[in-house]
Amino acid sequence: MNNELILELKEQIIQALNLEEMTPEDIDTEAPLFGEKGLGLDSIDTLELIMLIEKNYGIKLANPAEGKTIFKSVATLADYVSKNRKK
Amino acid sequence: MRSRIVITGEGIVSAIGTDKAATLTSLREGKSGIGRMRYLQSRHHELPVGEVSLSDTEIKALLGIAPSEEISRNTLLGMLAVGQALKEAGIERNQESGMIPRILLITGTTVGGMDITERHFDDMLTTGKANPCLLKHGCGSSTDDIAAHFGLFSAHTTISTACSSAANALILGAELLKADEADIVVAGGMEALTRFHLNGFHSLMILDQEPCRPFDAQRAGLNLGEGAAFVVMEREADAQERGAAVHAWLSGYGNACDAFHQTASSENGEGAFLAMREALEMARLTPGDIDYINAHGTGTPNNDLSETAALRRVFAEQMPPVSSTKGFTGHTTSASGSIEAVICMLAMRHRFLPSNLRWAHQMPGGITPTLGGQGRALRHVLCNAFGFGGNDTALILSAQPADEGLPSSSSEVRQPVIAAKVEITSEEELAEIRRYVKPLEARRLGRIMKSALLSSLKAMEQAGVSCPDAIITATSLGCLEYSELLLMQLREEGEVMLKPTWFMQSTHNTIGSAVAIHTGCHGYNVTYTQGAQSLEWALWDARRLIRSGRARSVLVGMHDETTPRFRSMMEQLGARDLCPIHSIAMILTCGE
């Protein structure tokens, strides 16, 4: 797995979602981002993540529902970004 | 005996007509007003909207206002509808003889003077010179201008609960009449399209690129619309005395908070359910008495699912014909409550069911909305309006007087007392929020939200109240910090995806609903925005709830913030002593 991209994504997530008190080490790459068991993110965070991948990687998602599988964890996100990035 | 509340005049302006007659024709002929934008200056031409067919200049001509006078489209739409309502009810300026009636104006709006602010924002930043338009930015100033235009109102105020604003304005009007604080109330709402909220809704990814299809399995979001509607309300006895024709009775209403999420409705539609149930109880009607429901039905996957759940909980096997008329008008946001109330009145008067346009595919487990019908006697109709933050309101309009629930005669008057009061005046104090709120919840709260939540929770702690029965918020300018950040983003990046975290906290009612979400308070929840008078109105409302026994504890707050840029501009315009943050939170109780 691309560790550089994973670290980069974690840093971007912390910034975009104002996770002020967290460092990349606090985010488990495989753990779920949404729901009680994981980071506890919600629908607004999905939108923030959609904006994030559009802005930083040129990936456009038309339907927020697509985010469900892509944003499952940092690992799934990194995988999707590496395969679909335009920049 | 407490009098029933009647409606004796209506004015309506929307994409399907600039008066009542044209609106009726469009409704009966199934003619939608949704199409390409003509007046809104936006690059998003791919997004269909429900624009009013008149330009600002044309509206000004109708109102006798000079074309050179800068006045927001929002205010102009409001003036047009207020004028129509007054005319229909036969209320004129300079009533010569007899006692001068106390006529109140209550508007519901959220955009205020935003269309003018966004027109001048770039210029102000480039030149560093303040434009007097900033004084017209607040929602309350739109109401000031409407009141000044007609010159017959003894007082006025503004409610801003996002998309339920106008419906809540009608509720306040009815309560003021019942409390004998007014003889005539003109209540309703207005909202003009702005680039600000079009892009904001766009960033929430809830705008359909096709004309909307509420309650359809393939629905893909809402279309924004604009417009205004106002009604003239009076006590039945007063209307009879002055010989006014009664067009409808406002026989019941309910206001509740979903207390779930700032932009999403809960799965079981708790807030909507509570609001509808309260309205039925007040009107002393059963679900079987309702002959038609004008649903909020925005066309977003989330709203229509949640509203369906709430409707099923209330009506079960007795579901009357339901339709959303947003396929005609688009979602007129703050104005939707009064626009749809007037549509309901037209349906009752002319005995037809408004169609749920473009519905074709059954939602799994969903309702089957009506596609229209003629020759239908509608005795009582229910009209829903739900806002961001879960500010949910239901109105019941009747073609005949309902046996409205009167307050139990034994009710002793309770004297409201202030049980706790907390004030925050500096940003340094906000760090204490960590004592009350988990980092995950606090992380996206803007400064005013932190200040409001902290002061509210401290006041509740002092008063020993874990969850108040009602939350009433006052704010002069609302969430200025995030609004400015969004305007900056529009200026610097253009009409791109705006930051959702900022947009979802840019409506005034975000403040009160954040407290409701945190405390799980499903009770009455409303936000006043009438400049410095906002708190006075909020306190009046809180005392009313306690005196009538409808609430034992009410959280009242006045919250405002400014930004360095805004302060320097306002100081150029003569303002002094603007502080970065100011919160006052109080708990009112019945003193037991």
Side-chain angles (χ1 to χ4, degrees):
Chain A
M1 214 183 285
N2 186 340
N3 287 327
E4 213 173 294
L5 178 62
I6 284 172
L7 180 66
E8 186 179 288
L9 282 167
K10 284 181 181 175
E11 281 166 353
Q12 289 168 3
I13 289 171
I14 288 169
Q15 202 214 356
L17 308 186
N18 293 326
L19 300 167
E20 294 153 354
E21 293 172 0
M22 297 188 90
T23 63
E25 292 78 51
D26 296 328
I27 303 177
D28 184 342
T29 309
E30 305 290 338
L33 288 170
F34 291 80
E36 303 266 313
K37 282 187 187 149
L39 221 46
L41 305 183
D42 70 3
S43 59
I44 291 293
D45 295 309
T46 306
L47 297 170
E48 291 286 355
L49 293 175
I50 290 173
M51 273 186 66
L52 185 156
I53 60 168
E54 181 175 339
K55 210 169 170 180
N56 299 338
Y57 304 102
I59 302 171
K60 256 183 138 65
L61 284 195
N63 183 355
E66 290 174 58
K68 240 183 188 159
T69 46
I70 301 166
F71 305 133
K72 219 167 148 188
S73 66
V74 175
T76 59
L77 174 60
D79 184 53
Y80 185 83
V81 168
S82 61
K83 283 174 184 153
N84 296 282
R85 62 190 299 171
K86 308 270 185 309
K87 58 182 181 189
Chain B
M1 195 186 113
R2 203 168 70 163
S3 183
R4 296 191 186 96
I5 304 302
V6 297
I7 294 172
T8 55
E10 307 88 58
I12 185 166
V13 186
S14 78
I16 58 167
T18 54
D19 59 23
K20 230 168 80 170
T23 306
L24 176 64
T25 305
S26 297
L27 286 169
R28 296 187 105 160
E29 293 176 0
K31 221 170 77 193
S32 169
I34 292 168
R36 280 178 72 90
M37 59 183 75
R38 290 167 65 200
Y39 303 119
L40 182 68
Q41 298 299 306
S42 165
R43 74 167 182 86
H44 286 298
H45 288 284
E46 79 284 7
L47 296 171
V49 290
E51 255 183 353
V52 169
S53 65
L54 300 168
S55 70
D56 288 12
T57 313
E58 286 166 336
I59 303 176
K60 284 178 193 168
L62 287 171
L63 292 164
I65 293 172
S68 58
E69 196 175 327
E70 184 150 53
I71 184 157
S72 86
R73 184 169 176 84
N74 193 42
T75 306
L76 291 171
L77 292 171
M79 285 175 179
L80 210 51
V82 168
Q84 291 172 9
L86 287 169
K87 193 174 170 197
E88 196 174 70
I91 294 162
E92 286 163 18
R93 214 182 303 219
N94 306 325
Q95 303 232 342
E96 298 279 328
S97 58
M99 267 178 50
I100 298 167
R102 296 161 298 168
I103 309 180
L104 261 54
L105 173 67
I106 306 166
T107 78
T109 188
T110 302
V111 306
M114 181 59 89
D115 61 329
I116 305 247
T117 304
E118 63 187 26
R119 198 178 301 158
H120 294 292
F121 189 75
D122 198 39
D123 204 38
M124 280 190 276
L125 256 56
T126 310
T127 62
K129 254 190 85 186
N131 187 302
C133 78
L134 277 182
L135 302 171
K136 302 277 182 184
H137 179 77
C139 296
S141 83
S142 292
T143 315
D144 291 340
D145 286 351
I146 297 174
H149 178 76
F150 292 96
L152 54 74
F153 296 104
S154 50
H156 60 268
T157 192
T158 311
I159 282 184
S160 190
T161 54
C163 302
S164 56
S165 301
N168 284 323
L170 263 66
I171 293 185
L172 175 64
E175 289 296 329
L176 284 159
L177 288 165
K178 287 175 183 174
D180 197 23
E181 298 272 354
D183 299 312
I184 290 170
V185 172
V186 180
M190 66 266 186
E191 202 100 290
L193 284 167
T194 67
R195 280 201 308 152
F196 185 92
H197 74 285
L198 182 86
N199 281 283
F201 274 81
H202 188 49
S203 74
L204 298 180
M205 300 182 86
I206 50 174
L207 294 181
D208 196 342
Q209 303 211 354
E210 302 293 324
C212 67
R213 294 148 284 166
F215 296 110
D216 189 288
Q218 297 180 8
R219 69 198 181 283
L222 60 88
N223 308 132
L224 282 174
E226 64 177 358
F230 280 84
V231 298
V232 174
M233 304 162 73
E234 327 176 40
R235 286 177 292 269
E236 188 177 29
D238 294 351
Q240 279 166 353
E241 198 170 313
R242 72 176 190 95
V246 172
H247 296 174
W249 282 259
L250 179 59
S251 46
Y253 40 80
N255 165 313
C257 189
D258 204 33
F260 175 71
H261 189 271
Q262 289 293 3
T263 56
S265 303
S266 62
E267 218 168 288
N268 67 353
E270 182 70 9
F273 166 76
L274 292 171
M276 288 190 273
R277 196 178 64 179
E278 188 188 339
L280 283 166
E281 274 169 16
M282 179 188 269
R284 293 205 175 161
L285 295 173
T286 63
D289 294 321
I290 301 294
D291 295 322
Y292 165 65
I293 298 170
N294 187 298
H296 186 58
T298 59
T300 65
N302 174 248
N303 175 82
D304 294 2
L305 206 59
S306 173
E307 189 171 10
T308 297
L311 285 169
R312 286 229 186 280
R313 286 172 70 189
V314 177
F315 291 93
E317 300 307 311
Q318 291 179 293
M319 192 75 72
V322 181
S323 70
S324 160
T325 45
K326 289 185 170 68
F328 283 94
T329 58
H331 187 359
T332 56
T333 52
S334 293
S336 65
S338 54
I339 284 180
E340 287 157 28
V342 173
I343 287 175
C344 285
M345 288 176 65
L346 286 168
M348 282 195 294
R349 177 77 182 269
H350 299 278
R351 301 165 62 87
F352 71 97
L353 292 169
S355 165
N356 192 104
L357 291 182
R358 299 181 207 92
W359 183 89
H361 308 92
Q362 181 77 39
M363 260 165 70
I367 49 164
T368 308
T370 175
L371 299 179
Q374 305 290 335
R376 301 289 288 255
L378 306 176
R379 296 159 302 156
H380 305 285
V381 303
L382 176 77
C383 185
N384 281 341
F386 309 147
F388 275 172
N391 278 153
D392 296 341
T393 299
L395 305 174
I396 294 176
L397 293 149
S398 303
Q400 61 193 49
D403 176 25
E404 190 190 331
L406 301 170
S408 52
S409 52
S410 66
S411 67
E412 59 200 273
V413 175
R414 295 176 177 84
Q415 280 311 320
V417 295
I418 295 176
K421 184 175 174 180
V422 172
E423 193 163 3
I424 290 174
T425 54
S426 76
E427 283 180 89
E428 289 73 44
E429 295 169 65
L430 301 183
E432 209 190 339
I433 189 89
R434 284 158 194 266
R435 258 189 62 212
Y436 297 87
V437 177
K438 287 192 189 122
L440 195 66
E441 187 185 347
R443 71 191 161 102
R444 59 161 79 116
L445 298 178
R447 200 177 34 181
I448 193 170
M449 305 286 287
K450 284 191 178 130
S451 174
L453 201 50
L454 178 59
S455 56
S456 300
L457 296 175
K458 284 177 88 168
M460 285 164 57
E461 192 176 58
Q462 282 181 20
V465 170
S466 61
C467 178
D469 292 337
I471 296 173
I472 304 176
T473 309
T475 182
S476 163
L477 290 164
C479 309
L480 217 49
E481 183 192 16
Y482 281 0
S483 297
E484 187 181 290
L485 284 166
L486 291 164
L487 284 166
M488 288 300 286
Q489 201 188 355
L490 280 168
R491 178 179 193 251
E492 282 160 13
E493 299 172 34
E495 291 183 81
V496 294
M497 289 281 278
L498 298 180
K499 196 167 166 66
T501 300
W502 296 342
F503 183 68
M504 75 166 203
Q505 292 181 52
S506 67
T507 57
H508 295 44
N509 65 325
T510 313
I511 304 167
S513 45
V515 183
I517 291 166
H518 186 89
T519 57
C521 171
H522 289 288
Y524 180 82
N525 191 310
V526 79
T527 299
Y528 287 87
T529 175
Q530 190 58 52
Q533 293 159 359
S534 308
L535 182 58
E536 212 177 302
W537 280 100
L539 284 168
W540 179 85
D541 207 2
R543 292 193 178 108
R544 164 188 80 80
L545 287 175
I546 287 175
R547 282 202 187 102
S548 65
R550 269 181 279 181
R552 299 168 71 84
S553 61
V554 183
L555 170 68
V556 177
M558 170 95 186
H559 310 284
D560 267 298
E561 66 176 345
T562 57
T563 63
R565 188 175 285 117
F566 183 79
R567 275 197 299 281
S568 89
M569 293 284 173
M570 288 302 284
E571 277 161 12
Q572 287 180 41
L573 298 170
R576 293 288 171 268
D577 306 320
L578 294 171
C579 31
I581 191 78
H582 189 200
S583 275
I584 300 170
M586 286 179 254
I587 294 286
L588 269 71
T589 66
C590 51
E592 283 167 7

